[in-house]
Amino acid sequence: MRKFWVASGIGIGVCLTFVALLVVGTYSAAAGLAGGARQGAVGLVKGAVPAVYQPLVERWGNLCPALNPALLAAQLYTESNWKPDALSHADARGIAQFIPETWATYGVDGDGDGDRDIWDPKDAIPSAATYDCQLAKDVAQVPGDRSDNMLAAYNAGPYRVIKAGGVPPISETQGYVKSIRSLEKSFARPVGRVAPAQQAAGAVYFAQKQLGTPYLWGGDGTAADNGRFDCSGLTKAAYESVGIELPRVANDQYNAGSHPSRGELLPGDLVFFSDDLTNSRAIRHVGLYVGGGYMINAPFTGAVIRFDKVDTPDYFGATRVTKDGAEALPERSGSTSKP
């Protein structure tokens, strides 16, 4: 709790033509979406919150008008990556990263078992929502967006928000508010279509140039890797080529933007695969959609970067990457690549 206050190499030329046709055709079919897209949340995207925590987030995320389930999910993901045993260097504890002094005042017995356990998500998630809503009350008279002011109070304290008449001019606080509001979109079920991504075509262009390159576990395409990639290394490099820095791991890349439905996929969308379709943290593979039901991906050891079909039983979902979404992602240490 951060606060100031307490595929194969044969026929590459044909493949490139195939990609070009898919990209042009799919973008043509999607013409006009950018101007008419609208965003909002009426619930959580399926699988974005681990299934074991989703009922708690849905219930307590509606505790007050300044909060919603997607916003609460974004906070919890940022604070702990859904780890109930998370412990920070500042002694912030549990899935909601409460420090003991704050917990003593705001911790609640969310599951009604007679205790308030900082390590138990059934107590910690309700406590996080309760704390958020108390902060929203504290700054209710401050002008501006009530959710922004609530988040600013969470990070810098209510006094600073009241004194500033809104989000205070503190870089950490402003960054915290922006990051959580951006991440909120990655947990929210969109209302209407998701706007196309401007950098998508460049990412596809990069990926298509890698067709036929042998797979390498942990490969980032560097000289030391002989230009080889694994799945998330390829997608990371593709978006890095257009100025967007993605995390290294596939399941973290999932939160880099909003989530179009299968019928709304456009070239450049990241497409994800998992053996557990109820939990985005279990994602094990990612590819780059190119249109027509196909993706470019680095599949597994012994294979090459190639086209594969998206429609498989382990298809999890998709992410339309945005620069703001990628920049909002918390840094994860000690991560390794998914295959």
Side-chain angles (χ1 to χ4, degrees), residues 213-224:
T213 302
Y215 174 96
L216 176 66
W217 173 273
D220 291 310
T222 63

Side-chain angles (χ1 to χ4, degrees), residues 156-239:
Y159 172 75
R160 286 189 171 91
V161 176
I162 294 169
K163 182 179 180 182
V167 179
I170 302 171
S171 59
E172 180 184 322
T173 302
Q174 292 180 341
Y176 183 80
V177 172
K178 180 181 178 181
S179 293
I180 296 297
R181 297 312 298 268
S182 294
L183 278 172
E184 178 186 354
K185 299 173 185 176
S186 80
F187 289 98
R189 186 169 64 241
V191 174
R193 292 181 178 269
V194 181
Q198 294 180 342
Q199 296 94 336
V204 171
Y205 176 70
F206 178 92
Q208 71 185 31
K209 291 193 297 182
Q210 315 310 317
L211 286 164
T213 302
Y215 174 96
L216 176 66
W217 173 273
D220 291 310
T222 63
D225 295 330
N226 291 322
R228 295 174 292 171
F229 299 91
D230 65 6
C231 72
S232 55
L234 175 64
T235 51
K236 183 180 189 299
Y239 269 96

Side-chain angles (χ1 to χ4, degrees), residues 43-55 58 73 77 82 186-189 251 254-255 259 272 274 276-283 315-319:
L44 297 171
V45 173
K46 182 180 178 181
V49 174
V52 66
Y53 304 130
Q54 183 161 335
E58 287 178 332
Y77 169 69
W82 303 109
S186 80
F187 289 98
R189 186 169 64 241
N251 56 20
Y254 179 76
N255 289 103
H259 306 295
F272 297 89
S274 177
D276 180 355
L277 302 183
T278 69
N279 181 6
S280 65
R281 306 311 302 158
I283 286 170
Y315 175 73
F316 183 90
T319 297

